[in-house]
Amino acid sequence: AQVRKGEKGTLIQYWKFTEEKIKRDANGKPVIGADGKKVKQTTKLDKPRAFSASVFNAEQIDGLPELKKVEPRWDRHERAEKILAASAANISHDQEDRAFYSPSTDKIHLPTKEQFPTADNYYAVALHELGHWTGHPSRLDRDLTGSFGSEKYAKEELRAEISSLMVGDELGIGHDPSNHAAYVNSWIKVLQDDPKEILRAARDAEAIKDYILSSEQKKTATVQASAKKEPPVSSVDEAAQRLAGSFKNPADAERFIAAVNKNVAQRVQHHYHDQEEELER
């Protein structure tokens, strides 16, 4: 692949927060791994380093293989729905053509799902508003006092928009910038007045994304933890009775019930499945 002659690149800045180095022993010699190669380790830099580079769009390059999109192996809409549910945000589908988050009532307002052209579009908008929702004082506590058209409003929208890009990429639902094109001029003014605002906005957007996705992870962890708890005595007894009813030998059934009752009485902290396997052995 080769950049086409005459094309102009776009200058970007990127940051390095870690550095990969050769691992060394107490004598300063490189550590050799089992594969015979030098072992490398990643260390966190005391101060991040900034770099600049010129990048080119694929349309400016000849000979580049066509991009093949890989479809997610999971249902992206199902995961997006789970994230919204796990957040426990108060969401009302009571709007005709508006979507917004109200800080005063801590409530997200959306049109009905049927009013959106695609499911991807619905979830992108819903998760964008969920981004604003994270700014509540009880969550990430951002300044949400700005009125429409103000500098504060533009800064908050910039954070929500960047987080939408991140979450949309994570879930595979994409991102539609046309929904927030009205804010572009105010963003340009904010960044012209303070170019470093984009760095602060990206930092906050990363925190928004992490907060949104963490609600899903916490919900999963809670479900898994609940599954590991010892079943109530009544549930154990009921399950034991059902299993005992399938035994051909009545004496085996009687011994089985007695063993279960003994374990419960001793408060052995095991799943009933583990108790069953132990008794079978």
Side-chain angles (χ1 to χ4, degrees):
Q2 179 66 46
V3 175
R4 196 174 301 117
K5 186 177 180 180
E7 294 288 352
K8 293 183 178 180
T10 300
L11 185 65
I12 67 163
Q13 184 181 73
Y14 63 97
W15 295 70
K16 282 186 66 176
F17 297 88
T18 59
E19 186 176 45
E20 192 176 63
K21 292 183 177 180
I22 301 295
K23 187 176 182 180
R24 298 182 181 278
D25 60 21
N27 298 319
K29 295 181 179 180
V31 175
I32 306 301
D35 57 0
K37 297 181 180 179
K38 295 178 181 178
V39 177
K40 294 182 179 181
Q41 61 181 5
T42 301
T43 58
K44 187 176 181 180
L45 297 172
D46 294 331
K47 293 182 179 180
R49 296 174 185 170
F51 298 86
S52 296
S54 289
V55 296
F56 297 84
N57 190 278
E59 294 177 343
Q60 299 175 277
I61 302 171
D62 292 324
L64 197 67
E66 183 179 352
L67 177 65
K68 294 182 179 179
K69 293 185 178 181
V70 179
E71 288 296 321
R73 289 177 294 180
W74 32 257
D75 189 329
R76 62 189 185 278
H77 300 145
E78 181 180 347
R79 187 180 176 197
E81 188 65 40
K82 286 181 178 178
I83 288 173
L84 291 174
S87 72
N90 190 345
I91 302 175
S92 291
H93 296 84
D94 55 1
Q95 298 297 304
E96 183 176 344
D97 58 0
R98 292 199 308 157
F100 62 93
Y101 166 68
S102 172
S104 60
T105 60
D106 192 22
K107 194 172 184 179
I108 294 173
H109 297 267
L110 300 170
T112 60
K113 293 181 180 180
E114 294 74 21
Q115 290 176 261
F116 289 86
T118 66
D120 281 352
N121 188 258
Y122 166 77
Y123 286 111
V125 171
L127 291 168
H128 175 94
E129 299 307 328
L130 192 67
H132 289 307
W133 171 87
T134 65
H136 190 270
S138 65
R139 298 175 196 110
L140 297 180
D141 193 17
R142 293 190 307 279
D143 186 354
L144 303 178
T145 60
S147 58
F148 183 82
S150 68
E151 181 179 316
K152 289 182 180 179
Y153 191 93
K155 288 182 177 180
E156 171 61 20
E157 282 297 334
L158 183 59
R159 282 152 174 76
E161 188 73 352
I162 297 174
S163 70
S164 294
L165 282 164
M166 294 176 174
V167 175
D169 183 61
E170 171 76 20
L171 301 185
I173 61 176
H175 173 261
D176 183 3
S178 64
N179 289 330
H180 307 98
Y183 305 123
V184 171
N185 288 335
S186 58
W187 290 341
I188 291 174
K189 184 179 184 306
V190 165
L191 298 179
Q192 284 178 335
D193 294 340
D194 182 5
K196 290 185 178 180
E197 176 60 21
I198 189 65
L199 301 178
R200 291 190 287 270
R203 176 200 61 197
D204 290 347
E206 183 78 25
I208 292 171
K209 183 205 74 170
D210 290 344
Y211 191 97
I212 289 174
L213 297 181
S214 69
S215 62
E216 176 195 26
Q217 295 163 356
K218 289 178 182 176
K219 185 74 173 178
T220 302
T222 301
V223 172
Q224 292 175 342
S226 298
K228 293 179 180 179
K229 290 182 179 178
E230 181 185 10
V233 172
S234 58
S235 299
V236 174
D237 182 64
E238 182 182 347
Q241 294 291 344
R242 286 203 306 269
L243 279 173
S246 66
F247 291 1
K248 294 181 181 180
N249 189 329
D252 289 341
E254 186 176 342
R255 286 189 296 106
F256 174 78
I257 294 296
V260 170
N261 289 336
K262 180 180 179 181
N263 278 346
V264 171
Q266 293 175 344
R267 298 181 182 181
V268 178
Q269 300 297 310
H270 291 299
H271 285 296
Y272 178 71
H273 179 69
D274 295 333
Q275 295 172 342
E276 178 187 352
E277 289 184 342
E278 181 182 350
L279 292 168
E280 285 179 352
R281 287 198 297 270

